[in-house]
Amino acid sequence: MAIERPLINSGVPHSARIWNYWLGGKDCYEIDRQVGDQIAGANPAILDIALAQRAFLVRTVEYLVGEAGIRQFLDVGTGLPTANNTHEVAQRLVPETRIVYVDHDPVVLAHAEALLTSTPAGATDYIDADLRDPEAILEQAAKTLDFTQPVALILLGITAHITDDTVYDIVGRLMAALPSGSHLVLCDDTEVLNPRQMREMIEQWNEASDNPRVNRSPEELARFFAGLELLEPGVVSVSRWRPSEPGGQAPAEVDDFGGVARKP
């Protein structure tokens, strides 16, 4: 797949590059580091959130491949590639796994080749599409994924960019196209633990970015799983969704809640 590289303005801060910076990535510019440090200075917990969300991705993909038998993933709003991307985690366990990444961000598009390095037995693809157009996503994803077989839809930190209730219909339309046995993995920022800092972070983010966000409550996030079989432990802080050492001390919560559910 040939990727056309867009022009990137390195003098304007960008949300995907800021998130990449928080995760310890290299695909950012000085302006992104400055804004990232400013936001983290007002809300230091954002660094823990970024790392906890990436760890949540790893654990959920490992569960879906290793225990639920999922062999296909549709990862929408993937962001810039860093360590332990969806295809890397899934194909380490089962090389035949197929993954389609979706983003409409020109910065992500410029780095899409890094998301297309599949095992020979499996497949990865990248779709330039917007979550707000689920039918376009499904049409293009069908070139790589078999929608007669279960698919895991991954939406990490992306639903917050649709700031009104139309987002529930959009996610519902995506899940409606997937067969029984498919799964939804979803999480996003909340204001449970540090409401003032999380609200201030959103305000700073929205001032610095052209892609605004909104925080939602755990109850609002739980609405995304309506009609699905929500797996234990339900909608919780992502750090506490089946932690790697379940017998040990419960990890600290972060203001990012999510869950995993199966389509009956």
Side-chain angles (χ1 to χ4, degrees), residues 71 77 85 121 174:
R71 300 293 180 263
N85 300 295
L174 286 170

Side-chain angles (χ1 to χ4, degrees), residues 9-164:
N9 188 344
S10 62
V12 176
H14 193 280
S15 58
R17 296 197 306 256
I18 294 171
W19 192 260
N20 180 267
Y21 171 55
W22 288 334
L23 283 173
K26 308 293 186 184
D27 297 314
C28 53
Y29 296 104
E30 180 60 28
I31 187 64
D32 304 306
R33 292 187 285 271
Q34 290 175 1
V35 173
D37 288 341
Q38 179 183 355
I39 293 175
N43 182 22
I46 189 58
L47 303 177
D48 293 329
I49 289 173
L51 294 173
Q53 190 183 101
R54 178 55 52 143
F56 173 69
L57 170 67
V58 173
R59 294 197 306 278
T60 55
V61 172
E62 288 177 341
Y63 164 78
L64 291 168
V65 174
E67 298 187 43
I70 296 296
R71 300 293 180 263
Q72 303 187 107
F73 289 83
L74 182 58
D75 187 340
V76 183
T78 179
L80 287 168
T82 54
N84 286 322
N85 300 295
T86 300
H87 73 284
E88 294 170 328
V89 178
Q91 291 181 345
R92 275 201 299 265
L93 296 172
V94 177
E96 295 81 10
T97 309
R98 305 175 75 83
I99 297 94
V100 171
Y101 292 103
V102 183
D103 212 304
H104 74 293
D105 193 313
V107 174
V108 178
L109 181 62
H111 295 269
E113 289 97 334
L115 294 171
L116 302 177
T117 54
S118 174
T119 60
T124 65
D125 197 5
Y126 177 91
I127 293 174
D128 181 13
D130 194 320
L131 177 60
R132 294 172 179 83
D133 191 354
E135 284 70 30
I137 291 174
L138 294 166
E139 179 182 359
Q140 295 182 65
K143 299 173 183 177
T144 301
L145 305 179
D146 178 3
F147 285 149
T148 69
Q149 299 298 316
V151 176
L153 173 63
I154 298 181
L155 299 168
L156 303 190
I158 183 65
T159 55
H161 286 296
I162 301 178
T163 58
D164 58 27

